[in-house]
Amino acid sequence: MPDPVGHDTFRHSGYDTFRHSRLDRESEMSRLADDMNAMFSRELALGGRAAVNYAALRRVEHRAMPVDGLDAVLFFNPGRVASVMAQVDAETLRHRPCFLCPEGIGPEQLTLDWTAPYGNGWWIRVNPFPIFDRHFTISINRHARQQMDGHYADMLALAEQAPEYLFFYNGPMCGASAPDHLHFQAIPAGNLPLERMVRRGEGIRLLGKQGGVVVSRVERFVGSAFVLSSTDLSAQEKLFYDLIASGEIQTDAEWEPRMNILTWYGPGGWTTVVFFRAESRPECFFSEDPAQQILISPGAVEMAGVAIVASRDSFERLDAPRLGEIIREVSFDEAKTRIMEEQITRRQEILTVGIVSLPELVFNFKTVYTCHGRKYTGTHKALASGNHILFEDQLYEELYFRRESDKGSFELQNVTIGVDFHWNRQETQEFPDDLKLIAVDGKVVAINCVGIENYLVSVISSEMSATNSPELLKAHCIISRSWILAQIQKNREIQASQEQYSACTDTETERIKWYDREDHDRFDVCADDHCQRYYGLSRASTSAVRETVAQTWGQVLTYDGKICDARFSKCCGGVFEEFKFCWEPKQFPYLVKRRDAAAENDFPDLTVEENARQWILSEPEAFCNTKDPQILSQVLTNFDQETKNFYRWKVEYTVEQLSELVRLRSGEDYGEILDLVPLARGTSGRLWKLKIVGTKKTKVIGKELEIRRTLSPSHLYSSAFVVEKQDGKFILRGAGWGHGVGLCQIGAAVMGAKGYKYDEILAHYFPGSTIEKKY
């Protein structure tokens, strides 16, 4: 926290009166700040009340009070007792003179007249009871109640004309000691912890971009705060009032939602933080128990991480956990804030998608992007340098490039698709929305920060051909949306539980491992088959996909009120697999065994080895048992069509090939492989436990993907296979393509071609689920 006093560094002005009028926009920027500084120096030189109180700031005690990742600070400032304890009820206001009108100000107070571009006149004065050095009050030049409606543009103009300052507003029930007279306050920029955090782009979650305004929510310290950022004043003003309109007016006597507001201006335009409040003061303020009472009356400064108390007892009693409780107590709860979030945006939640990780990253901005106040277009390069990124001869921990327009896009070179699969290749791909770069393990990681609905336009086109039937497109859009939202929720639950989560058990005799979303801790999902294929605008090729996303906007599958973990794979092989045999041992009622045919229950128990062998070595009727080129061309992308046999397939290895393959893929030397012994199968016949017997080592491996990756240079099509040994060779005869859980893409394509509707397709693959519109 900077020293709160340093007035000897300010420029002295010889003026006794100050007047300011708006001239040319460029020449005006910072002139207002110069005039404010000059007035400040002159008033302190007069030696009145302000000089005494600003000198007292040197003696203000403070201590660090980190809360929830925010570097909050606590101040003991006895000079603020009048503000902290101010009575602001209607009766009190009626019987006291207004100390912001000319007749109420002290004789030593100077006034700077300022006229806003839209005609409102304002008085700028040095605040005689300061929190920080150079603390100003800006009051409208007539007696009018504290109300933001109609005056936000004035606040933006102040911020633009004095970018060295941060301007804030306390609502009439949220810290304003003069709720009978409209006013803002100003302090030098950079003093508030939450302001610094937002400027760094930390602790906030992007919600989307609305009409040129980037909308975010604060996720540290106070969860009921929204952040609006834009270079377009009119767009910023419109969205601000839309946001305010979505707030809650709590009593008939109030005329606006309870709120505090911060605004500043920088190279990237205007930024406003709006804190929505449930209470004016916390219960501890009113406590009659001296041991429990804490005299704190939160306003904008407190909500931004600078807590001010006026009594020694409160200063000694208040600690970091209690401060966090107080801020939460006076803020809107998550339910109310989420409703506002849904109203202010179409709630296209922003996903972070890991695209590529390289020692040297080349990227090309197709439109204008901004980062650290600079504009970028064209091709650029970033290099990994330890735990930092070298960009334009400077080192950064991370870089965030924000698009200037809603249609912004960028290209990334050398993006690998089909990682470890047989269609592995590199491409240059184009992506919408924003680009974030971080350094991890000596590589630059490119992360696409993209709206979920924009993401789905590409996913539907990347996972399969965009020319598929409308019914399958709708079904797939709903399950893809459901899956990603379920994964985000799952990750939050894992973090909230603070329990150790493990997806692997590895001993000398057994290795059981599954691969899922929790493998990623720096972004929500990756862009490849490990999560969902996402190849950006390169695959978003048809208007049909965009129309499908719009038609199903916000629709998800639910079961018992919770979003379904809606899995899908290319081809189930005739029977669906259950979740627990591929991932953690959980049972989902909507992910159950079923035949991929009209006769859903007509199939043997494939957990029995002999039944599984007979099933896999035959080709029973199923929706996904098709070689129809027209259907396959719809559901399979160009490189997927390189795979000709997937319903039933065969792989052969010599003993030497298999032994070397297992050694390379597992990292363990089994010696010469003597046998592959099936130990446990799931409901589709997929192996989830396999014993590998070697001359040097014997070990059980699982689950299905670990088996697939160990027995193939890329991945086996599935783990539903039987083992034959002939003429010194291991022959694997298998069924299906992928894990087989949930929707079978090829089977669903056949259903669509047969005339099934999308809700019928979903009911077949996810029995008992319901389609709901969540946003």
Side-chain angles (χ1 to χ4, degrees):
M1 192 69 191
D3 187 333
V5 176
H7 67 261
D8 55 331
T9 64
F10 294 118
R11 179 174 60 83
H12 176 76
S13 170
Y15 298 112
D16 287 324
T17 60
F18 299 80
R19 296 196 65 82
H20 181 86
S21 59
R22 183 175 176 83
L23 301 173
D24 177 74
R25 183 172 183 236
E26 294 299 323
S27 66
E28 285 297 295
M29 291 184 63
S30 294
R31 274 195 55 192
L32 176 59
D34 291 341
D35 289 348
M36 291 166 65
N37 293 339
M39 180 177 69
F40 178 84
S41 297
R42 176 57 178 158
E43 184 160 333
L44 262 62
L46 296 176
R49 178 174 53 179
V52 173
N53 288 339
Y54 278 87
L57 282 179
R58 298 180 184 275
R59 299 185 295 276
V60 168
E61 296 179 48
H62 62 275
R63 67 172 182 266
M65 191 164 286
V67 180
D68 192 23
L70 185 77
D71 296 325
V73 64
L74 174 64
F75 275 58
F76 171 40
N77 187 342
R80 294 290 296 178
V81 65
S83 178
V84 171
M85 302 300 295
Q87 298 296 314
V88 295
D89 58 279
E91 185 66 21
T92 299
L93 295 177
R94 272 198 299 269
H95 292 88
R96 78 169 191 195
C98 176
F99 52 82
L100 295 180
C101 285
E103 58 270 26
I105 68 170
E108 77 280 8
Q109 282 188 272
L110 304 177
T111 298
L112 168 62
D113 290 329
W114 178 77
T115 301
Y118 304 99
N120 288 316
W122 296 80
W123 297 315
I124 303 178
R125 301 187 181 106
V126 175
N127 191 316
F129 302 102
I131 300 171
F132 295 96
D133 203 6
R134 289 183 292 162
H135 184 175
F136 295 88
T137 300
I138 302 99
S139 53
I140 200 162
N141 64 359
R142 62 186 184 276
H143 193 69
R145 70 184 182 184
Q146 186 81 335
Q147 185 172 6
M148 199 65 181
D149 186 30
H151 302 290
Y152 178 59
D154 294 351
M155 194 181 203
L156 296 179
L158 282 164
E160 184 184 25
Q161 292 190 20
E164 299 94 332
Y165 284 85
L166 173 142
F167 295 82
F168 63 90
Y169 170 86
N170 289 326
M173 296 291 289
C174 300
S177 54
D180 54 336
H181 195 132
L182 174 60
H183 66 285
F184 307 131
Q185 297 181 65
I187 59 175
N191 276 292
L192 301 181
L194 190 136
E195 170 208 358
R196 297 195 296 269
M197 182 185 76
V198 172
R199 285 180 183 268
R200 294 194 301 266
E202 298 175 359
I204 58 176
R205 174 168 58 88
L206 295 172
L207 301 179
K209 193 166 187 178
Q210 300 290 317
V213 182
V214 177
V215 187
S216 308
R217 263 189 66 185
V218 176
E219 293 199 306
R220 293 182 190 169
F221 190 66
V222 53
S224 62
F226 289 83
V227 183
L228 309 180
S229 301
S230 180
T231 57
D232 185 332
L233 186 147
S234 60
Q236 180 92 350
E237 183 180 18
K238 179 183 182 303
L239 197 60
F240 171 83
Y241 286 118
D242 288 345
L243 177 62
I244 300 308
S246 69
E248 176 182 327
I249 298 177
Q250 299 184 37
T251 70
D252 292 339
E254 296 178 51
W255 49 84
E256 68 180 13
R258 296 180 184 180
M259 60 187 177
N260 304 103
I261 301 169
L262 311 177
T263 292
W264 64 85
Y265 185 85
W270 291 275
T271 297
T272 291
V273 183
V274 186
F275 306 88
F276 287 95
R277 301 280 296 275
E279 301 292 342
S280 299
R281 286 167 170 163
E283 288 185 3
C284 63
F285 182 93
F286 304 101
S287 177
E288 295 180 359
D289 182 355
Q292 299 297 322
Q293 188 181 60
I294 299 175
L295 298 178
I296 182 171
S297 184
V301 169
E302 283 78 7
M303 302 302 289
V306 175
I308 298 171
V309 294
S311 77
R312 168 65 63 182
D313 286 346
S314 296
F315 183 73
E316 298 295 340
R317 196 171 293 132
L318 186 58
D319 59 13
R322 189 71 184 95
L323 176 59
E325 292 171 5
I326 287 171
I327 294 300
R328 288 189 291 273
E329 180 185 346
V330 302
S331 302
F332 270 11
D333 60 24
E334 177 61 22
K336 288 183 179 179
T337 310
R338 179 69 71 173
I339 290 172
M340 294 183 64
E341 179 181 321
E342 292 174 3
Q343 291 176 343
I344 192 59
T345 69
R346 204 178 171 185
R347 220 187 125 225
Q348 184 178 171
E349 186 160 350
I350 301 299
L351 304 179
T352 52
V353 186
I355 306 297
V356 66
S357 176
L358 295 167
E360 178 179 303
L361 183 72
V362 179
F363 48 101
N364 175 38
F365 293 117
K366 308 278 282 185
T367 58
V368 178
Y369 278 68
T370 61
C371 180
H372 293 299
R374 295 189 60 185
K375 296 183 184 295
Y376 293 94
T377 56
T379 302
H380 301 271
K381 183 186 298 183
L383 304 175
S385 179
N387 293 324
H388 290 78
I389 301 166
L390 180 63
F391 179 67
E392 294 188 330
D393 299 323
Q394 293 190 52
L395 291 175
Y396 299 89
E397 290 186 1
E398 69 176 43
L399 291 164
Y400 192 99
F401 296 93
R402 179 173 285 116
R403 68 200 184 283
E404 289 252 315
S405 70
D406 289 340
K407 300 297 183 183
S409 68
F410 60 91
E411 288 181 337
L412 295 175
Q413 294 184 14
N414 301 316
V415 178
T416 301
I417 67 172
V419 176
D420 289 337
F421 286 89
H422 59 279
W423 58 87
N424 181 297
R425 66 199 67 193
Q426 289 188 331
E427 296 183 343
T428 294
Q429 294 182 348
E430 183 179 353
F431 297 92
D433 297 358
D434 297 343
L435 172 64
K436 179 180 179 180
L437 305 182
I438 61 174
V440 178
D441 297 331
K443 294 183 179 180
V444 180
V445 180
I447 299 171
N448 186 196
C449 302
V450 58
I452 184 172
E453 304 296 330
N454 297 342
Y455 165 82
L456 287 173
V457 170
S458 173
V459 166
I460 305 309
S461 306
S462 302
E463 281 288 347
M464 55 189 183
S465 171
T467 62
N468 215 315
S469 71
E471 299 306 311
L472 178 54
L473 289 177
K474 289 178 186 177
H476 213 297
C477 192
I478 290 170
I479 64 171
S480 292
R481 185 184 291 111
S482 302
W483 180 83
I484 187 62
L485 291 175
Q487 301 318 298
I488 293 173
Q489 181 60 35
K490 175 183 175 182
N491 190 52
R492 289 173 181 168
E493 290 172 355
I494 291 173
Q495 292 177 345
S497 71
Q498 296 184 339
E499 295 178 1
Q500 189 68 30
Y501 183 90
S502 175
C504 181
T505 300
D506 198 358
T507 67
E508 278 297 309
T509 59
E510 185 175 75
R511 176 179 172 83
I512 304 298
K513 179 177 176 61
W514 63 84
Y515 298 81
D516 211 350
R517 150 65 195 92
E518 57 270 6
D519 295 335
H520 306 307
D521 57 7
R522 302 297 295 273
F523 43 80
D524 292 324
V525 290
C526 70
D528 210 37
D529 291 76
H530 175 275
C531 292
Q532 290 188 127
R533 289 184 187 173
Y534 170 65
Y535 301 151
L537 298 174
S538 310
R539 296 292 192 281
S541 56
T542 71
S543 60
V545 171
R546 289 186 287 273
E547 290 171 5
T548 299
V549 171
Q551 290 168 3
T552 65
W553 188 288
Q555 291 184 20
V556 295
L557 275 183
T558 66
Y559 188 93
D560 198 19
K562 188 172 183 178
I563 297 176
C564 293
D565 190 341
R567 304 289 167 131
F568 56 89
S569 63
K570 277 286 177 285
C571 174
C572 68
V575 174
F576 311 161
E577 190 54 79
E578 290 189 357
F579 181 92
K580 63 184 178 182
F581 296 117
C582 297
W583 297 285
E584 63 259 53
K586 285 185 177 181
Q587 185 73 36
F588 292 105
Y590 50 86
L591 296 176
V592 294
K593 60 184 179 181
R594 209 174 232 199
R595 183 167 177 170
D596 190 25
E600 297 171 338
N601 298 314
D602 182 17
F603 62 96
D605 182 356
L606 300 182
T607 64
V608 176
E609 185 62 30
E610 185 55 35
N611 292 344
R613 173 173 288 274
Q614 292 180 17
W615 179 268
I616 292 170
L617 294 179
S618 63
E619 292 206 13
E621 179 185 350
F623 288 131
C624 58
N625 184 3
T626 181
K627 296 186 182 298
D628 187 320
Q630 183 176 358
I631 292 176
L632 294 180
S633 68
Q634 291 177 351
V635 73
L636 298 178
T637 59
N638 291 336
F639 52 82
D640 280 334
Q641 291 183 53
E642 297 169 11
T643 302
K644 300 301 182 183
N645 299 306
F646 50 83
Y647 187 69
R648 294 296 183 267
W649 48 266
K650 182 177 75 170
V651 173
E652 294 185 11
Y653 298 117
T654 65
V655 172
E656 292 78 13
Q657 288 173 330
L658 182 61
S659 301
E660 179 63 10
L661 177 62
V662 170
R663 185 186 67 80
L664 290 174
R665 297 291 280 168
S666 70
E668 300 185 67
D669 188 1
Y670 286 77
E672 182 180 294
I673 301 299
L674 301 176
D675 206 356
L676 301 175
V677 183
L679 293 185
R681 294 185 184 271
T683 53
S684 71
R686 281 167 170 78
L687 284 164
W688 71 276
K689 277 191 176 183
L690 175 74
K691 182 192 289 186
I692 302 178
V693 180
T695 56
K696 294 182 179 180
K697 187 182 189 71
T698 295
K699 192 168 186 176
V700 176
I701 65 169
K703 294 184 176 183
E704 65 91 28
L705 190 57
E706 183 71 5
I707 294 171
R708 291 167 61 194
R709 67 179 300 275
T710 302
L711 300 182
S712 172
S714 56
H715 286 74
L716 287 178
Y717 291 129
S718 82
S719 67
F721 61 84
V722 295
V723 181
E724 297 176 355
K725 291 184 286 186
Q726 296 177 5
D727 303 324
K729 291 183 178 181
F730 282 87
I731 302 173
L732 310 184
R733 300 184 186 273
W737 183 356
H739 52 67
V741 179
L743 182 135
C744 172
Q745 290 176 315
I746 293 173
V750 172
M751 290 184 73
K754 288 179 176 290
Y756 287 86
K757 300 300 182 183
Y758 77 98
D759 55 344
E760 295 175 309
I761 294 173
L762 292 174
H764 173 64
Y765 290 106
F766 304 95
S769 64
T770 302
I771 300 172
E772 289 187 21
K773 189 172 181 65
K774 283 293 187 181
Y775 57 87

